[in-house]
Amino acid sequence: SVCDTSMPVKRAHTRACTQDKRASDSMGPQMQLMRMRGPVRTAASLLRGMNVSHTDSAFKIEIFSVIGWFKVVETYSLQGEPSRYPRRDLRRGKHTGHVEVLLPKPLPLPTPMMPAVAQPPPAGADVPAVGRKRAGAGELCATSRVAVHLSWGEPHAGTGLDVMELAEPNVLHVMSTLAVDGQQESCLSVFRRKGT
């Protein structure tokens, strides 16, 4: 899995997932923003799935399409050092990317319509911080979110952010946001573990 805390972190953990097209948003607006056309647009729209794996020091992403020649393979240091890879839209040049491990999403604050289910901690208790924080190597866990930050130059210079998290034990959510030419598009892709 993206993280299974019952196994030593030094072992590689892998999650092979297929895309749930019905539960996923259309990538059309993002492809339009990037002005993707022809075979590359077709290959991206026929996205089949992804493999996500990690060791104690690296996070690896493999994205593949029904069309065999369209495959993305990227490995990033869990310490946050940048890496360069061919652009995902297959245009000339490379993108620069780095990974940030985020803590789980904070729980919503209780409202009058949603009473608190737990009492607040006693005064002076050690309460862990919740929210955005870069974790050290090996700190991935089942509730971690991993953010992949990307940037690239012309043509169509821009930035990308992919936030990956396990929504359920066998369901991986990837929220992708692209920003190009002062415009921004986001889409949610839902992947389910093979065999579930």
Side-chain angles (χ1 to χ4, degrees):
S1 70
V2 169
C3 176
D4 181 345
T5 54
S6 66
M7 293 191 289
V9 169
K10 288 194 181 291
R11 292 177 54 187
H13 307 304
T14 303
R15 177 166 292 272
C17 304
T18 55
Q19 187 179 32
D20 183 336
K21 293 282 190 186
R22 284 179 283 171
S24 299
D25 296 337
S26 167
M27 293 175 63
Q30 288 191 325
M31 289 189 281
Q32 184 65 34
L33 181 64
M34 289 295 296
R35 296 183 183 88
M36 291 172 64
R37 292 181 173 72
V40 175
R41 184 178 180 122
T42 300
S45 67
L46 294 174
L47 182 66
R48 188 174 77 202
M50 70 185 304
N51 293 330
V52 177
S53 61
H54 76 86
T55 64
D56 61 339
S57 60
F59 185 80
K60 182 176 181 180
I61 306 162
E62 298 175 86
I63 304 168
F64 45 93
S65 169
V66 170
I67 298 175
W69 54 261
F70 185 86
K71 187 172 183 180
V72 172
V73 180
E74 299 168 357
T75 302
Y76 296 98
S77 163
L78 285 174
Q79 298 299 324
E81 290 95 359
S83 298
R84 290 177 52 81
Y85 289 100
R87 287 175 55 149
R88 292 181 182 179
D89 62 2
L90 303 187
R91 289 188 171 105
R92 72 177 190 276
K94 296 190 174 193
H95 71 248
T96 300
H98 72 275
V99 158
E100 180 181 16
V101 179
L102 308 175
L103 289 176
K105 287 181 181 175
L107 295 173
L109 295 174
T111 67
M113 299 296 288
M114 184 181 75
V117 293
Q119 296 299 317
D126 185 32
V127 180
V130 177
R132 184 175 178 159
K133 170 189 170 223
R134 181 172 296 158
E139 289 189 42
L140 284 173
C141 66
T143 56
S144 291
R145 294 177 297 144
V146 177
V148 182
H149 300 266
L150 305 174
S151 63
W152 57 91
E154 295 294 346
H156 308 298
T159 61
L161 174 65
D162 295 334
V163 178
M164 304 176 192
E165 68 177 316
L166 286 176
E168 300 172 26
N170 294 305
V171 180
L172 178 68
H173 282 186
V174 181
M175 178 58 74
S176 298
T177 302
L178 294 180
V180 177
D181 296 330
Q183 299 179 33
Q184 182 173 299
E185 292 288 349
S186 296
C187 76
L188 173 68
S189 296
V190 178
F191 297 89
R192 299 188 184 278
R193 190 172 193 175
K194 292 180 179 178
T196 61

